[in-house]
Amino acid sequence: MEQMDTIKSAALAAIEAAADQETLAAIRTQYLGRKGSIPDLMKQLRTIPPEQKRAFGQQVNELKDAVEAAWTARAEALEAARDGATAAAFDVTLPGEWRGGGSLHPITQLTDRAVEIFQTLGFTVADGPDIETVFNNFDALNHPPGHPARDVKDTFYLDDPNLLLRTHTSPVQVRYMLSHPPPIRIIAPGRCYRRDTPDATHSANFHQIEGLYVGRNVSMADLKGDLSHFAREAMGPDTRVRFRPHFFPFTEPSVEVDFSCHVCGGKGCRVCKQSGWIEIAGAGMVDPNVFTAVGYDPDEVTGYAFGMGIERIAMILFGISDIRHLYENDVRYLAQF
Ligand code: PHE
C-alpha cells in the first residue's frame, strides 16, 4: 500500500509538471505502459494472500483510474493552451492578401464580341481542326495546282504531304458545306498558320474569323450590310465600310474590306497611315467551283464569305503597336485591355 501511495504522488506530480505532449507521453509509458509501474503492481497480485487479493486489486485499479484521469486532463489542458496560442497569433480581422484577378486575352475578348454580334444576325458558330487536309484548305477552295499559296515557303506541311496547318479559316466553309445542306449561316473563329517571319505586324500563328452565308439570292448587298452592322457594333456607330476589288480563288467577285479609321474618323492619322481607312477583311461571293466541290448546286444557291484578321482588329481597337505583344504573355501588359 505504501508503494502505491508513492507511485500515485510521484505520477500525479509528474503529470502536473509536464509542460508538453512529449513529456506527457513519456510519463504515460513510465506509469501506464505495458512495462510501466502500475501494470507491474498488478503482476504482484500472485504474491498476495488470497483473502487480500480482492482489496489489493481494487486499490491498484483505483490508482490506475486516478493516474489515467489526471493524465487525460493534463493532455487536454496542454492542447487547449496550444490552440489558444495559435488563435491569438492569427488575427482574423486583418485584410487578406489580394492576389489579383485574371483577365481575358484581347484576342479572346474580341472573338467573343464578334461571335456575339454575328449571332444576333442569325449566325451559328462552326469549328474545324488546326491540322487540315490539302483538299479542304486548297483544292476545294479552287486553288489550282501550283498556286503560290500552296508553296512550302508559305505553308507548314506535315510529314504526311496531304496534311498541313491551315493557312486560313476558310476550310471550315468546306467542312460545314460537306456536312450540312443549304441554307447555312456560320461564323468560324480560329487559329491559322503561315510561314511568316515575325515582325511588328506578322506572326506565324494568328487568328481569323470566317463568315459564310449561303442561301437563295444572297447578294453582295447582304455582305456589305452585314459587315457594316458588324463594323458599327464592334468599332463604333459612325464606322463606315468600303469594298475594294481584289482576287481570291474561292470568291468571285472578290473584295478587300476597309473600315473607316476609328481613331480619326476618316480624316487621316498615324493609325490609318493618313488614308482614313483600315483594311480589315477579305470577302466576296462564293465561287461556283467551291459549291460544286462540296456538292451544292451553283444554279440553286448563292453565298457570300469573308475572313477577318482578329489580331489586326485587336491592334487597332486597343492601340497595340506590335503583334508580338499579344503572344509574349506578359500578364501585366495583357491585363490592361
Ligand atoms: N481566306 C482569306 C484569307 O485568309 C480571306 C477570305 C475569306 C477571303 C473568305 C474571301 C472570303 O486571306
Side-chain angles (χ1 to χ4, degrees):
M1 295 298 248
E2 237 169 69
Q3 207 187 339
M4 273 194 230
D5 283 343
T6 319
I7 291 173
K8 187 172 179 178
S9 41
L12 294 184
I15 288 169
E16 204 47 50
D20 54 62
Q21 299 284 1
E22 235 168 73
T23 315
L24 214 50
I27 293 171
R28 186 171 186 89
T29 312
Q30 186 187 345
Y31 290 97
L32 298 162
R34 211 155 41 82
K35 289 180 181 154
S37 36
I38 295 174
D40 246 11
L41 284 173
M42 254 330 178
K43 282 173 204 150
Q44 289 178 32
L45 201 59
R46 281 181 283 123
T47 65
I48 305 290
E51 66 279 7
Q52 288 172 21
K53 269 192 201 303
R54 199 184 145 83
F56 180 83
Q58 227 166 19
Q59 291 280 345
V60 178
N61 273 329
E62 275 169 25
L63 168 62
K64 183 173 170 254
D65 290 348
V67 172
E68 189 84 59
W71 191 92
T72 307
R74 185 67 190 148
E76 280 169 6
L78 282 178
E79 186 90 352
R82 200 198 58 191
D83 288 354
T86 313
F90 182 72
D91 183 351
V92 294
T93 65
L94 282 174
E97 204 178 300
W98 176 242
R99 305 252 170 211
S103 61
L104 290 178
H105 194 282
I107 297 294
T108 308
Q109 289 181 42
L110 227 112
T111 305
D112 290 354
R113 178 78 188 115
V115 165
E116 215 173 78
I117 295 168
F118 280 104
Q119 277 175 335
T120 66
L121 294 176
F123 285 73
T124 53
V125 175
D127 196 14
D130 291 15
I131 295 176
E132 262 298 1
T133 62
V134 171
F135 176 81
N136 286 342
N137 195 87
F138 289 132
D139 296 321
L141 291 168
N142 202 33
H143 287 72
H147 188 280
R150 291 174 176 262
D151 202 290
V152 292
K153 283 208 311 296
D154 297 316
T155 300
F156 292 109
Y157 286 89
L158 274 62
D159 288 342
D160 178 342
N162 286 310
L163 295 177
L164 46 71
L165 294 179
R166 64 177 178 193
T167 59
H168 50 180
T169 42
S170 300
V172 182
Q173 291 186 35
V174 177
R175 286 181 172 270
Y176 201 85
M177 287 192 283
L178 282 171
S179 54
H180 298 79
I184 57 172
R185 213 188 290 220
I186 55 157
I187 187 108
R191 250 175 222 280
C192 307
Y193 306 82
R194 283 181 204 175
R195 266 188 200 275
D196 272 329
T197 307
D199 63 22
T201 55
H202 292 86
S203 166
N205 164 215
F206 56 98
H207 297 74
Q208 286 187 338
I209 299 186
E210 192 81 9
L212 175 67
Y213 174 24
V214 180
R216 285 185 193 280
N217 303 319
V218 177
S219 74
M220 204 80 171
D222 295 309
L223 175 61
K224 195 158 190 187
D226 291 350
L227 286 178
S228 299
H229 175 75
F230 171 78
R232 289 189 297 264
E233 290 289 318
M235 316 287 274
D238 298 326
T239 312
R240 284 158 294 127
V241 170
R242 80 173 180 188
F243 285 179
R244 280 178 292 111
H246 198 69
F247 174 82
F248 295 105
F250 39 95
T251 45
E252 179 60 34
S254 301
V255 293
E256 275 192 321
V257 183
D258 296 340
F259 288 3
S260 59
C261 178
H262 84 293
V263 175
C264 62
K267 287 195 281 292
C269 69
R270 200 176 45 83
V271 173
C272 58
K273 300 200 182 79
Q274 310 306 328
S275 75
W277 296 93
I278 291 164
E279 185 192 319
I280 296 286
M285 300 306 294
V286 179
D287 192 290
N289 287 344
V290 175
F291 285 142
T292 308
V294 298
Y296 280 16
D297 181 353
D299 293 328
E300 287 290 315
V301 292
T302 56
Y304 73 61
F306 61 82
M308 321 193 252
I310 304 182
E311 278 79 358
R312 244 194 110 61
I313 303 178
M315 288 172 75
I316 290 159
L317 210 55
F318 296 126
I320 296 170
S321 57
D322 191 318
I323 194 170
R324 290 168 291 198
H325 292 327
L326 289 168
Y327 297 113
E328 281 159 0
N329 286 337
D330 181 340
V331 291
R332 294 166 308 177
Y333 183 81
L334 295 174
Q336 301 175 86
F337 306 105

